[in-house]
């Protein structure tokens, strides 16, 4: 049963699940210095993208030379190492993962990895009319699709190159393909798309899918807008929604940093909030990232990393060496991230190179 929680308080199930985690025997061989079990890896298939979202990239981007990008075989090998170490969830991301040539062949192989419970993907939706069915058939269970505006002109401004119609058709294709869960991701920027919060909520209710609202993170230098001025906190977004649709905290838990709510009026839509500024979720962090060039990043908001590409290229086929390096990397995982919104970001890599 759900209980109403005041918007400013954090639902208590977070603390409960942390205690439960503390009592459980780790399933993964990957445990860091703070006793956090790492069982989730986000793998970036490419730093390239057909969009240039204003909060993610600068207008003129230089992408990595192809030889610096992991091959599909190298990605498969690294994924296998993680799964053998006890990782049960992999998210494919980017850049735009669906623009990577032949990515379906990789997804097919990952979908068959023994021990991998969840293969999921985050996409901008532009290629989903073509790939929704093959992805579902390859074993992708859940899919996140980014959508920040339902207004054609504004969508184009925010993505610089994107077509809203294409993405809406992509969302429809995903619904038809029968994914177990579809969730939209919306980054809300004050003065840019905060007047569409209710439209986005009504859109997901009508489609019977979920949505997460994300606070903008200061990754990479952008000069298109000031991150400080455009910052809109999750609590401010909750207030806007609650004025029209009262929410109740939801006991749905995922292994992610989203706090979930449902509508008091019912329905299956969940509304999540990812709040890297206003609600630090580091104490329950269970994930690491592998960038398109094979850097194992231990934290989104810090630079601690290990060069897995160098290792797999120096020792091809040596699974033990690879697994050993991944186990040792756990000692580098920092306790938490510190974001501030000054115009000089502490982290100069963009989200597309990070693997969002
Ligand atoms: N291209 C795919 C997409 O847009 O869904 C996958 C990669 S993208 C980097 C993953 C997610 O990161 C998207 O939902 C995007 O909105 C979000 N994102 C990108 N830059 C961000 C930033 N600076 N702050 C917060 N979220 C960001
Ligand atoms: Fe591309 Fe996704 Fe970044 Fe937008 S958020 S530019 S779609 S990688």
């Amino acid at each position: 049963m759900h209980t109403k929680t005041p918007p400013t308080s954090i639902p208590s199930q977070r603390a409960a699940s942390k205690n439960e985690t503390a009592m459980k025997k780790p399933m993964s061989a990957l445990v860091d210095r703070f006793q956090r079990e790492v069982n989730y890896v986000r793998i970036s298939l490419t730093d390239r993208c057909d969009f240039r979202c204003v909060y993610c990239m600068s207008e003129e981007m230089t992408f990595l030379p192809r030889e610096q990008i992991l091959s599909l075989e190298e990605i498969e090998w690294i994924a296998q190492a993680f799964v053998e170490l006890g990782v049960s969830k992999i998210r494919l991301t980017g850049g735009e993962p669906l623009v990577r040539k032949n990515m379906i062949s990789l997804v097919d192989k990952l979908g068959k990895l023994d021990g991998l419970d969840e293969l999921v993907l985050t996409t901008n939706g532009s290629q989903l009319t073509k790939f929704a069915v093959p992805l579902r058939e390859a074993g992708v269970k859940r899919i996140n699709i980014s959508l920040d505006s339902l207004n054609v002109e504004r969508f184009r401004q925010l993505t610089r190159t994107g077509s809203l119609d294409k993405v809406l058709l992509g969302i429809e294709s995903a619904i038809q393909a029968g994914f177990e869960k579809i969730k939209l991701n919306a980054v809300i920027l004050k003065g840019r798309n905060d007047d569409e919060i209710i439209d986005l909520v009504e859109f997901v209710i009508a489609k019977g899918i979920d949505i997460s609202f994300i606070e903008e993170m200061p990754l990479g230098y952008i000069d298109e807008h000031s991150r400080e001025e455009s910052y809109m906190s999750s609590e401010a977004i909750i207030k806007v929604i609650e004025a029209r649709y009262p929410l109740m905290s939801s006991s749905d838990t995922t292994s992610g940093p989203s706090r979930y709510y449902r509508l008091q009026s019912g329905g299956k839509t969940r509304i999540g909030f990812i709040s890297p500024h206003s609600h630090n979720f580091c104490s329950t962090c269970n994930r690491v990232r592998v960038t398109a060039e094979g850097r194992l990043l231990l934290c989104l908001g810090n630079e601690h990393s290990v060069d897995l590409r160098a290792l797999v290229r120096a020792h091809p086929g040596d699974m033990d060496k690879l697994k050993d390096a991944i186990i040792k990397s756990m000692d580098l995982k920092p306790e938490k991230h510190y974001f501030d919104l000054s115009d000089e970001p502490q982290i100069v890599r963009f989200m597309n190179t990070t693997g969002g």
Side-chain angles (χ1 to χ4, degrees), residues 183-238:
K183 184 176 70 129
L184 300 191
N185 279 342
V187 176
I188 298 297
L189 307 178
K190 199 188 277 171
R192 297 290 289 270
N193 62 347
D194 54 330
D195 57 342
E196 290 196 60
I197 294 169
I198 294 294
D199 292 347
L200 287 164
V201 167
E202 289 176 346
F203 179 80
V204 292
I205 294 171
K207 300 281 176 202
I209 59 179
D210 297 339
I211 189 165
S212 275
F213 291 99
I214 308 176
E215 291 176 352
E216 184 184 10
M217 285 176 260
L219 298 179
Y221 176 75
I222 54 165
D223 55 11
E224 197 265 356
H225 63 270
S226 152
R227 296 203 199 259
E228 200 167 1
E229 283 167 21
S230 62
Y231 172 66
M232 179 133 182
S233 72
S234 296
E235 304 312 341
I237 299 171
I238 290 174

Side-chain angles (χ1 to χ4, degrees), residues 55-56 93-96 122-123 146 185 187 216-217 227 351:
Y55 46 75
C56 178
T93 180
E96 175 46 43
T122 301
T123 172
S146 300
N185 279 342
V187 176
E216 184 184 10
M217 285 176 260
R227 296 203 199 259
M351 192 64 147

Side-chain angles (χ1 to χ4, degrees), residues 2-126:
H2 306 301
T3 49
K4 168 122 169 76
T5 306
T8 45
S9 70
I10 307 303
S12 58
Q13 67 262 18
R14 273 268 158 240
S17 66
K18 197 180 152 198
N19 291 340
E20 281 158 23
T21 313
M23 284 157 59
K24 265 195 296 180
K25 195 172 170 291
M27 301 292 289
S28 164
L30 303 177
V31 179
D32 77 357
R33 291 172 299 148
F34 307 97
Q35 303 314 309
R36 293 173 299 193
E37 186 185 340
V38 170
N39 50 27
Y40 176 15
V41 182
R42 293 183 163 220
I43 302 180
S44 174
L45 299 191
T46 175
D47 62 332
R48 286 160 206 269
C49 187
D50 49 345
F51 291 2
R52 297 283 183 279
C53 299
V54 293
Y55 46 75
C56 178
M57 294 191 183
S58 60
E59 192 155 16
E60 298 300 324
M61 289 291 290
T62 310
F63 294 108
L64 293 163
R66 296 216 183 265
E67 64 279 7
Q68 286 187 26
I69 298 279
L70 292 179
S71 68
L72 294 179
E73 292 71 26
E74 287 167 339
I75 295 175
E76 183 191 349
W77 187 243
I78 289 171
Q80 187 183 329
F82 274 106
V83 173
E84 287 184 15
L85 287 166
V87 160
S88 56
K89 176 174 174 182
I90 291 179
R91 176 175 302 281
L92 302 176
T93 180
E96 175 46 43
L98 302 189
V99 302
R100 174 81 193 243
K101 214 166 151 209
N102 292 332
M103 60 80 203
I104 284 289
S105 65
L106 171 71
V107 181
D108 254 328
K109 291 189 177 120
L110 298 186
K112 295 187 177 78
L113 279 180
D114 225 10
L116 183 63
D117 296 337
E118 280 190 275
L119 180 59
V120 296
L121 182 126
T122 301
T123 172
N124 64 23
S126 70

